[in-house]
Amino acid sequence: AQKVTQAQTEISVVEKEDVTLDCVYETRDTTYYLFWYKQPPSGELVFLIRRNSFDEQNEISGRYSWNFQKSTSSFNFTITASQVVDSAVYFCALSGGRSGYSTLTFGKGTMLLVSP
Amino acid sequence: DTAVSQTPKYLVTQMGNDKSIKCEQNLGHDTMYWYKQDSKKFLKIMFSYNNKELIINETVPNRFSPKSPDKAHLNLHINSLELGDSAVYFCASSQLGGNPTTRELFFGEGSRLTVL
């Protein structure tokens, strides 16, 4: 069975602080994919990043960066110099198996509140 | 052009009624999904269709019946609505077959169902 744990339910920071959202996953698959989604207060789900299990390179996109560590089964997400617009619920998700017929298993989400 | 569109966005109805939510995607994807997000923001897969065929059917009451008339549409019909059905229902699509594939899901804006 697959499982995604986001231990931080809610994080509050002040603008310009850096913040890291943790994600730990469990899977028996050797091939799998990891994702992060953002859900702002308006409610839509916005895709941020996909990572496959064979690519442990960290990725940076503007103020966002992701640290994938297979050894600890973690896929953490860091926002540098946070802004009020970053306030949202962030979901980590896992999709496994070689078959395309797999769905995303989501963590319970971390609510990030960035205050001015 | 909205990639994945759902209607209606809001639905308020009485217990016992039957209601439908429609979903259409114009991304040319071969797979569509329904996810349910409960009041605690937890996202869970309900159904998945690949090329109009049901491939995933989680433990969802049989009051919920998905229907996929073609690859671009996946509708959700709910009979005898109960209070516990109140949630946000998200439709999503992805491309699992052929090349390129997109493991990430593209979500609609969600349909908030309130059962009174």
Side-chain angles (χ1 to χ4, degrees):
Chain A
Q2 298 185 331
K3 188 177 175 184
V4 176
T5 302
Q6 294 180 255
Q8 304 148 310
T9 308
E10 187 172 317
I11 302 176
S12 292
V13 299
V14 176
E15 227 176 358
K16 296 184 186 174
E17 282 184 26
D18 299 347
V19 58
T20 295
L21 309 180
D22 297 333
C23 173
V24 173
Y25 62 91
E26 293 174 33
T27 181
R28 291 182 183 170
D29 293 317
T30 53
T31 301
Y32 52 89
Y33 296 82
L34 294 159
F35 306 81
W36 276 93
Y37 281 84
K38 174 182 179 180
Q39 188 174 39
S42 47
E44 71 272 25
L45 283 157
V46 179
F47 165 73
L48 295 178
I49 189 171
R50 176 187 73 178
R51 216 59 179 147
N52 73 51
S53 51
F54 296 109
D55 183 0
E56 284 193 73
Q57 249 189 338
N58 290 332
E59 180 148 343
I60 298 174
S61 174
R63 295 183 298 106
Y64 294 171
S65 61
W66 290 270
N67 183 351
F68 175 30
Q69 292 203 337
K70 243 172 151 171
S71 58
T72 55
S73 298
S74 65
F75 185 43
N76 296 339
F77 173 30
T78 298
I79 302 175
T80 303
S82 59
Q83 299 175 2
V84 172
V85 292
D86 295 327
S87 296
V89 180
Y90 291 86
F91 292 95
C92 182
L94 168 68
S95 164
R98 292 183 183 274
S99 163
Y101 299 159
S102 58
T103 60
L104 265 57
T105 298
F106 283 86
K108 292 189 174 179
T110 297
M111 178 174 287
L112 175 64
L113 298 169
V114 182
S115 52
Chain B
D1 259 354
T2 307
V4 181
S5 58
Q6 304 177 220
T7 54
K9 196 166 179 180
Y10 299 97
L11 192 50
V12 181
T13 188
Q14 300 284 336
M15 263 197 325
N17 284 350
D18 303 339
K19 289 294 176 187
S20 292
I21 307 172
K22 294 186 175 181
C23 179
E24 175 181 3
Q25 54 98 1
N26 62 8
L27 297 166
H29 287 166
D30 59 6
T31 306
M32 295 185 72
Y33 311 78
W34 278 109
Y35 274 80
K36 179 180 179 181
Q37 186 173 44
D38 62 23
S39 57
K40 295 184 179 177
K41 296 281 190 179
F42 186 53
L43 277 156
K44 192 165 182 215
I45 181 71
M46 298 174 69
F47 302 102
S48 176
Y49 271 74
N50 176 264
N51 287 315
K52 300 194 304 173
E53 282 190 36
L54 180 66
I55 54 171
I56 289 175
N57 182 352
E58 291 296 304
T59 48
V60 177
N62 57 16
R63 298 182 294 103
F64 290 77
S65 50
K67 201 164 272 189
S68 182
D70 55 59
K71 263 187 2 176
H73 295 84
L74 179 61
N75 303 322
L76 183 65
H77 188 76
I78 315 169
N79 289 328
S80 304
L81 279 156
E82 300 177 357
L83 292 176
D85 298 332
S86 295
V88 180
Y89 293 85
F90 283 96
C91 177
S93 73
S94 68
Q95 180 65 28
L96 296 184
N99 186 21
T101 62
T102 59
R103 288 285 185 140
E104 59 268 30
L105 271 56
F106 292 83
F107 285 88
E109 291 185 337
S111 297
R112 182 177 292 277
L113 171 65
T114 303
V115 182
L116 303 174

